[in-house]
Every structure is written in C-alpha cells, then in structure tokens.
Amino acid sequence: MTQSSSVNCEKFLSDLEKAFSISLNHIKVMISQFHKEMKKGLSGHESSLKMIPSLMDRPKGDEKGEFFALDLGGTNFRVLAGKLDGKRKAIVSAVSKFAIPKKDMQGTGVQLFDFIADGIDAFLTENSIDRSKVYDLAFTFSFPVEQTSLAAGKLIVWTKGFTAKGVQGQDVVELLNQALERKLIRCINVTALANDTVGTLVARSYADPTCDMGVIMGTGTNACYREKLSNIQELQSLNPKEHMIVNMEWGNFDKVRLTRYDRQVDEASVNPGAMYLEKMVSGMYLGEITRLILMDLMKRDFIFIRNPDSAEPFQKKDSFKTGDMSLIEGDETENLHEIERFLENHGISNVSLYDKTVLKRLCEMVSTRAAGLGAGAISAVVSWMDPELKDRHTVAVDGSLFEKYPGFGLKIENTFKKLYGEKAENITLVHSKDGSGKGAAIMAAVAASAAEMQKS
Ligand code: BGC
C-alpha cells in the first residue's frame, strides 16, 4: 500500500469509527427516547415499542410438576421435558434440537408447523413417552405475538428472516394444534404461550426473586420486564398493585442513527423499514453489516490489495457471519494467526498484518456499537422500573451473541458503570442458558395453578 493510500484508509476508518461510536451522551438521549416510546406503547398509542402484556407475572418458586416445552427461537427449535421441584429448581431431563430449513421458514405456515410437529413426534419416540397419557406443553414462540389468553396469541409480524405464509394474524397455538392433529399426535395439550424473553425472565426468577428483566441477544434481540398493572392502560381496571410481565419487542425501536451500511442491510432484508434496533444489535445482522463495510474497503483498495481475488468469498449476502466476527475479535495472538487462518480457509492468502488489524477493527466497531446500544436499552428499562436505582435488579440474558461474543457482556457492564457509578452494582447481568425452554416449563406450571385457582 502506498503511503497516501494508507493515509486515506486511516482517514476513512476513523470517520467510520466516529459514525459507529456510541457516546455516553448518545446513551442518555436513547434512554429518554426509550422512556417516551415505552410510555406511548403502554398507554395504547402508536409506538415503535409494542409493549405487549404477557398475561402472566413471575412465578413464586413453589410451582411443581413435570412438563413439556416447545421452544421456537431463531434458526432452530427445541423440544424439552422438564421437572420443577417446587423449591426454585428446574431440571431439564431431555432435549432435542432441530434446525429449521430455510424452505420451511419461508414456505407456508402448514409446512412450518408440520415440521415442528414432526420434531415433537421424534422427541416422543426417542424418549419412549407413553402416548396414551396427555401432557401439558408450554410453547415459547420468539416473535411478536398479541397475547389473547395464557395459551393463545396472534402473530403480529414475522421477524428474523421468517416469512412463512398464512401465519401473520393467526393464533399460533391453533396452528400448532392443527399440525399435531394432522400428524395424529393426541397426547399434547398446549397450556401456555409466551415470548422467549418472558421464558428467560420466568426461568431465572423461579430461581432468583431479584430477577425482573429478561433479555435475548442472539439471532434477534428483545426484552421483557415486570410492569405495574396501573401503568398498563388496557389493564388498569385490574388490581393496580399487581404486576405483569410486558414483552417490549424492543428490536423495533426506531430512534436510532443509521449508517449507510445499516440502510443497505435494512433494504435487503425481508422486513425493510422495521426492526432497526434489532438490525444494529443482533447476531443475524452484525456479520452482514461488517461484510458490507469490508466490501467497501476492498472496492477502495484499502484492504487485501496483495490478493486480487479477495472479493470473491464475501460477495454474497450473509456470507460473513457474526460467528466469524467472534473468532476474529477473539484473536489475541501477536501476529493475528487465527485471523490469517480464517482468511486462508476462505481463499484469501498473502494478507498483511495491516489487513488483519483492519479486519479486527471493523469487527470491534460493529460489535462495540451493538453492545453500547444493548447497554442503553437495558439501562432504559431498569431506570424506568427504578429511577433512583435503589433496588437490586437481576437481568437474565440469553442468546448466542451474549454467550459467545468475546467481551460483549463486559462492554455492557462497563457502560452501566460509566452511567451509574457505584450504583451500577445494583444491576447484575446473568447468563440464563436455555432459559426460554426452562421458563416455558415453569409457565406451564403457573398456567396449571392459575387454571386450578379459577376452578376452585
Ligand atoms: C422477535 C422477538 C424475540 C427476539 C429474540 C425478535 O425478532 O421479534 O419476539 O423475542 O427476536 O428472539
């Protein structure tokens, strides 16, 4: 690289870093905008935050029983069998995981739900489950659903690349029941439906009563928290002293500053104009943002100039994954060998140390912005619940980004410290692995005890 082109590259990168940086001031503005949108959503007005009441509160910790759960997340779904000991302990005894083929994500609803019913069928067979009995099943469905009862709800809109036809506006439990009937599976009774964030909060709070917020940072992103009924317009007539978990659908928050790469990602997505925060924060999109920047750098001859074929491997949309960013950012070797190996595996050889450093910088830029926005969103919710930060708040977090991306959680915690100083100690992030599945089982128990209460 000539001296002038390396100067140009540095200038280009430092401009980009500015466009991607999230200052403390940005976060403060974000928090106040979040509060405005939360208020609008809770009072039934148009808002980018849907604020959907889940129709349930935290469990008490004494719920008992054996349950099945179905957890439909981003790219896969799981079937679980679980047991609650009535003393804050949930044990998952069997799990089967199925990857959802793209043709079923983007085909028809019948196809998708038949695929799920087949998975349930395989699970029952594998675990030799007696089909002459009837089992309660809780369904965590990781998409925006308008909850019509504890065990029913209509899909508002697909996210995360799903487009299966004939599902939006329909009750997803009904669609699941129909598929189970088509497959002659009659031993399953769906007793609860909830968002994955709600499952995550419920699972953690069964074990830990200080947990009042559930967050997913994985393929998609979202959060739920405990809200006072008196703050929820449509439920104000109920006991105002009680609480309910509200699914915020924060991935749709739109008071964000988009770069041209974010706009490109949005335009090429199956849901343009929606889910802006999700598209800047979650695993489904971070790799793609980075790929677009990388392609731009290559076009300008700022990177990989010693390898003329280097554009080939990353030409296609989604060919550079968030998992690749994890590997690149996690390379702590002196000469960045792991990055070199990664590039070689993709047919890019003869790279310079500068190339590798630039690639790492791009990943850091995109992931640090994601963590900053995530921290802003969590802070907004905690400060909404407790403006003085007087109480302890355990935030249950799940999702591959939080679990696997090097330093992601730490960056969020550092932002809390900058915002709140010592009081940041009152916010504890805990990784709640597989929370949504376990939470579903607990919800089935809460639903069962609610049904009993109604009967008595
Ligand atoms: C969905 C949410 C879900 C989140 C995390 C988003 O795309 O809209 O309902 O909680 O992904 O899975």
Side-chain angles (χ1 to χ4, degrees), residues 120-187:
I120 296 180
D121 199 28
F123 177 85
L124 294 172
T125 306
E126 252 165 56
N127 293 286
S128 315
I129 289 163
D130 177 0
R131 297 187 188 222
S132 66
K133 294 189 188 152
V134 176
Y135 306 93
D136 286 351
L137 176 134
F139 184 14
T140 30
F141 184 71
S142 313
F143 299 93
V145 160
E146 186 200 326
Q147 201 89 30
T148 48
S149 76
L150 259 189
K154 290 180 188 153
L155 173 65
I156 301 172
V157 65
W158 279 124
T159 59
K160 294 179 286 199
F162 276 68
T163 54
K165 284 185 212 62
V167 187
Q168 285 180 178
Q170 302 299 311
D171 178 358
V172 291
V173 173
E174 190 53 42
L175 296 179
L176 174 61
N177 283 336
Q178 288 167 2
L180 292 172
E181 187 52 38
R182 279 195 294 277
K183 303 279 170 186
L184 304 176
I185 302 168
R186 299 195 170 125
C187 57

Side-chain angles (χ1 to χ4, degrees), residues 120-395:
I120 296 180
D121 199 28
F123 177 85
L124 294 172
T125 306
E126 252 165 56
N127 293 286
S128 315
I129 289 163
D130 177 0
R131 297 187 188 222
S132 66
K133 294 189 188 152
V134 176
Y135 306 93
D136 286 351
L137 176 134
F139 184 14
T140 30
F141 184 71
S142 313
F143 299 93
V145 160
E146 186 200 326
Q147 201 89 30
T148 48
S149 76
L150 259 189
K154 290 180 188 153
L155 173 65
I156 301 172
V157 65
W158 279 124
T159 59
K160 294 179 286 199
F162 276 68
T163 54
K165 284 185 212 62
V167 187
Q168 285 180 178
Q170 302 299 311
D171 178 358
V172 291
V173 173
E174 190 53 42
L175 296 179
L176 174 61
N177 283 336
Q178 288 167 2
L180 292 172
E181 187 52 38
R182 279 195 294 277
K183 303 279 170 186
L184 304 176
I185 302 168
R186 299 195 170 125
C187 57
I188 295 292
N189 179 26
V190 184
T191 51
L193 169 72
N195 188 256
D196 52 349
T197 55
V198 178
T200 303
L201 191 165
V202 164
R204 184 71 207 181
S205 58
Y206 184 70
D208 171 0
T210 65
C211 176
D212 50 13
M213 183 172 180
V215 175
I216 301 286
M217 287 179 173
T219 310
T221 186
N222 187 17
C224 70
Y225 71 104
R226 280 187 93 211
E227 181 58 275
K228 296 186 205 88
L229 283 185
S230 56
N231 280 346
I232 311 174
Q233 177 90 15
E234 59 180 299
L235 299 172
Q236 262 170 357
S237 55
L238 301 176
N239 185 349
K241 285 203 192 108
E242 291 193 359
H243 287 80
M244 183 178 285
I245 301 170
V246 169
N247 166 17
M248 303 178 70
E249 288 296 332
W250 81 14
N252 196 46
F253 181 69
D254 62 0
K255 308 286 174 279
V256 285
R257 191 185 44 151
L258 301 175
T259 65
R260 60 181 178 282
Y261 307 104
D262 299 307
R263 291 191 195 284
Q264 274 174 268
V265 166
D266 177 52
E267 278 156 24
S269 69
V270 295
N271 52 352
M275 306 298 281
Y276 284 148
L277 186 68
E278 175 154 289
K279 288 172 185 166
M280 297 166 91
V281 169
S282 80
M284 177 151 179
Y285 304 97
L286 298 189
E288 183 60 7
I289 302 172
T290 312
R291 184 189 75 86
L292 290 171
I293 307 175
L294 183 61
M295 296 300 289
D296 199 3
L297 286 184
M298 286 193 225
K299 213 170 62 200
R300 293 167 195 264
D301 276 341
F302 285 159
I303 193 170
F304 304 150
I305 50 169
R306 300 205 303 221
N307 187 322
D309 298 327
S310 53
E312 286 308 316
F314 301 121
Q315 281 292 351
K316 268 183 49 203
K317 177 170 177 275
D318 295 328
S319 56
F320 186 80
K321 307 276 180 214
T322 305
D324 298 333
M325 294 170 67
S326 285
L327 182 146
I328 290 167
E329 214 177 309
D331 186 353
E332 299 293 343
T333 62
E334 202 180 327
N335 287 315
L336 303 176
H337 288 311
E338 284 163 30
I339 300 181
E340 188 156 339
R341 200 165 329 126
F342 165 80
L343 290 169
E344 270 170 11
N345 288 342
H346 285 80
I348 305 177
S349 50
N350 200 16
V351 292
S352 65
L353 183 59
Y354 184 73
D355 289 336
K356 294 181 277 182
T357 316
V358 169
L359 186 57
K360 194 170 175 186
R361 252 169 94 178
L362 299 187
C363 296
E364 273 163 7
M365 199 167 80
V366 174
S367 73
T368 306
R369 182 184 68 165
L373 292 170
I378 297 176
S379 307
V381 180
V382 174
S383 61
W384 171 270
M385 289 190 282
D386 178 6
E388 307 294 322
L389 221 56
K390 283 190 297 228
D391 304 319
R392 291 190 56 77
H393 302 273
T394 297
V395 183

